[in-house]
Amino acid sequence: MMNWNQLICDKRLGMEEYHDERHHTRSDFQRDYDRLIFSSPFRRLQNKTQVFPLPGSIFVHNRLTHSLEVSSVGRSMGNEVAIRLGEKYKGGEWIHKLDSLRDIVAAACLCHDLGNPPFGHSGEKTISTYFSEGRGQELREMVNEKQWADFINFEGNANSFRLLTHQFRGRRDGGMAMTYSALASIVKYPYTSLHAGKKGKFGFFSSEEEIFRKVANQLGIPEYEPGKFARHPLVYITEAADDICYQIMDLEDAHKLKIIGLQEVMDLLLGFFDPKDHPRMHRTLNKLDDPNEKIAYLRSNAIGAMVVECAKVFAEAEEEILAGEFKGSLINNMNPLLSEAYARCSATAWKKIYCAPEVVDIELAGNRIITSLLDTLMDAVIHPEKNYSKLLLSIVPNQYDTLAASPYERIQSVLDHISGMTDVYALDLFRKLNGHSLPAV
């Protein structure tokens, strides 16, 4: 059975020798949040696609705005959970640690998408299928089974953990030196790629397995079988905040892009409330002339209702969660009114949003761009003696070890580079390498 006293730990990866128990003006979990806000990987999210192509005259969400909203929702949910657990454990010597839940979750939510490649979720699929279906198959004999599973199941979640913990060239030990609790709170799938299954989901590459094991041991997270661990309880809150935001905000974006009509979005959002509350809500809606404001009003109320309900589910299932026996997600275990309304939103999104021409177009373009970059850069790191390879590798940022000793590490350096690119940078590099864009002479 996991326990909160151990699960809430402000020890920093790579800075363990400097750890102390003194009270500071800012907690270490607040420092995590601030450190992420000012980091380059976080800033790059502003030029990475969430679902829809990056905006022209109409603003839609990108990875950065999505992450900020998820963090806001996660903070509120973490606070709600802390209040409920505070009543349960009143008088406990360690109860003050519960005050940190909101800050841990806020930081975890802020960085949950850091490892996602450009061009939305299709970027992950493009990378994994490059190895399972494309020219990447030629690299199979260069790596072992576990390493190959990392590539054919490439996962943004695992890449986020790597980005936060890996010591890139010229960087310090411990990567971004995050607290143990924040690191564990982003790992939705706490197992290696060998346990990925049909969905291809896993939480850390084999190169970071020992780092995760170190974190898990410190926090008292059990390892059920080699390479497969229980979830840190706060992962459930991070996951719920993410699910709430992308599902609801995708509807709002779809309305702005005229993919879904106003009335349909309003009906979907009103579904989160008891019919007896509808007259009151309609009175407020009738005072608003701006369609976007109508949706914003309903959206904020829907999110608020789900935050409270998910916190309630967490508190009621806390013992199961601490025992690693909780099934499903907080969203799946909401009351029927909310879970059915959420399911209707999800079904509409899959039917009308994720198959919309605008979304498919960016996926097709992204697939071509990422595949081309992979072909070119993989050839360069596998055959660095070629003249073109030397020229190409000279423009790769120094933090990526393209001349590492093992093929696995060299391949990883390419994936680190490409997954860190913004949509704009990837497109620009693609054009230059294919002769479609030349520097001014």
Side-chain angles (χ1 to χ4, degrees):
M1 176 77 78
M2 293 177 277
N3 68 86
W4 290 111
N5 191 32
Q6 192 172 0
L7 287 166
I8 302 173
C9 172
D10 58 7
K11 186 176 290 187
R12 291 190 175 282
L13 184 69
M15 298 180 65
E16 291 84 356
E17 62 184 291
Y18 302 108
H19 182 256
D20 65 65
E21 299 294 340
R22 291 181 300 164
H23 176 73
H24 299 274
T25 304
R26 284 186 302 154
S27 74
D28 280 295
F29 304 121
Q30 290 172 322
R31 291 173 189 269
D32 279 343
Y33 184 92
D34 296 344
R35 184 170 297 186
L36 289 162
I37 284 285
F38 286 92
S39 69
S40 295
F42 184 73
R43 288 197 300 275
R44 286 198 293 268
L45 294 178
Q46 69 181 316
N47 274 321
K48 285 192 175 187
T49 296
Q50 174 65 16
V51 173
F52 299 102
L54 295 179
S57 59
I58 299 176
F59 178 80
V60 293
H61 288 80
N62 54 43
R63 288 278 180 194
L64 186 139
T65 50
H66 166 72
S67 297
L68 287 169
E69 289 172 349
V70 173
S71 183
S72 177
V73 170
R75 184 187 295 277
S76 296
M77 198 182 303
N79 190 55
E80 190 82 23
V81 167
I83 292 172
R84 292 172 184 269
L85 295 184
E87 291 296 316
K88 178 178 180 179
Y89 293 109
K90 186 179 294 183
E93 290 184 4
W94 53 268
I95 194 171
H96 64 281
K97 286 191 170 185
L98 293 176
D99 293 336
S100 298
L101 291 191
R102 58 179 176 269
D103 294 324
I104 298 171
V105 174
C109 289
L110 204 63
C111 64
H112 79 286
D113 270 352
L114 282 187
N116 283 67
F119 305 110
H121 287 292
S122 66
E124 294 174 276
K125 192 65 176 176
T126 298
I127 292 174
S128 62
T129 54
Y130 175 79
F131 295 99
S132 62
E133 300 174 5
R135 284 184 57 190
Q137 295 178 87
E138 300 169 7
L139 308 173
R140 173 66 186 89
E141 300 306 315
M142 296 183 179
V143 296
N144 62 38
E145 181 186 7
K146 183 182 289 187
Q147 293 168 344
W148 184 245
D150 287 348
F151 297 147
I152 62 174
N153 297 294
F154 181 86
E155 234 289 327
N157 288 277
N159 204 42
S160 292
F161 189 77
R162 174 176 170 81
L163 186 60
L164 293 169
T165 62
H166 181 67
Q167 184 179 9
F168 291 95
R169 289 176 63 184
R171 307 298 174 88
R172 63 183 172 189
D173 185 27
M176 291 182 66
M178 300 285 288
T179 60
Y180 280 39
S181 291
L183 287 173
S185 297
I186 70 164
V187 184
K188 292 170 62 175
Y189 315 103
Y191 37 82
T192 67
S193 55
L194 291 178
H195 297 282
K198 292 182 179 179
K199 292 185 176 181
K201 299 292 186 181
F202 65 103
F204 42 85
F205 298 118
S206 56
S207 50
E208 283 73 55
E209 181 177 352
E210 288 310 309
I211 293 177
F212 184 82
R213 181 170 284 107
K214 178 181 181 180
V215 170
N217 288 340
Q218 174 69 44
L219 302 179
I221 298 174
E223 184 173 7
Y224 297 131
E225 56 183 277
K228 192 170 188 177
F229 299 78
R231 271 182 165 189
H232 189 292
L234 297 185
V235 169
Y236 288 99
I237 302 177
T238 302
E239 177 184 51
D242 184 27
D243 289 347
I244 289 171
C245 285
Y246 81 71
Q247 199 67 83
I248 300 302
M249 304 315 296
D250 286 354
L251 289 175
E252 189 167 8
D253 284 348
H255 167 259
K256 289 181 179 179
L257 293 170
K258 304 187 185 308
I259 294 173
I260 301 179
L262 173 63
Q263 193 58 52
E264 183 174 5
V265 176
M266 289 176 59
D267 288 343
L268 286 168
L269 294 177
L270 281 167
F272 286 93
F273 308 99
D274 192 296
K276 71 178 188 312
D277 294 324
H278 288 188
R280 172 182 58 80
M281 303 186 81
H282 277 296
R283 285 196 294 273
T284 300
L285 289 169
N286 290 335
K287 298 176 182 178
L288 302 172
D289 294 327
D290 187 338
N292 293 326
E293 285 299 307
K294 291 177 184 285
I295 291 177
Y297 165 72
L298 293 174
R299 175 254 298 156
S300 64
N301 280 274
I303 290 177
M306 285 191 282
V307 164
V308 173
E309 178 65 12
C310 285
K312 178 184 176 185
V313 171
F314 186 99
E316 291 177 349
E318 185 221 8
E319 291 185 13
E320 287 180 78
I321 291 173
L322 290 175
E325 298 172 353
F326 184 71
K327 303 299 182 185
S329 65
L330 300 182
I331 293 287
N332 296 146
N333 285 275
M334 294 190 300
N335 66 55
L337 177 71
L338 294 179
S339 60
E340 289 171 11
Y342 185 88
R344 287 193 293 272
C345 290
S346 181
T348 300
W350 280 105
K351 181 179 179 181
K352 296 188 175 183
I353 297 177
Y354 305 140
C355 296
E358 297 94 329
V359 177
V360 175
D361 285 348
I362 196 70
E363 290 183 355
L364 289 171
N367 184 291
R368 175 64 63 88
I369 292 167
I370 292 176
T371 299
S372 176
L373 294 178
L374 284 168
D375 279 341
T376 305
L377 289 168
M378 286 298 174
D379 184 68
V381 296
I382 299 303
H383 304 287
E385 72 283 355
K386 293 180 179 179
N387 183 58
Y388 183 68
S389 297
K390 293 176 182 177
L391 287 172
L392 185 59
L393 296 180
S394 70
I395 67 171
V396 174
N398 188 58
Q399 70 188 74
Y400 305 122
D401 193 2
T402 55
L403 299 177
S406 73
Y408 176 64
E409 292 173 295
R410 296 201 297 275
I411 294 170
Q412 276 191 313
S413 73
V414 173
L415 299 184
D416 289 333
H417 184 31
I418 291 178
S419 63
M421 293 178 182
T422 64
D423 294 16
V424 175
Y425 181 88
L427 174 59
D428 184 55
L429 183 60
F430 168 78
R431 285 172 171 166
K432 287 178 179 177
L433 295 181
N434 285 279
H436 300 153
S437 175
L438 295 175
V441 178

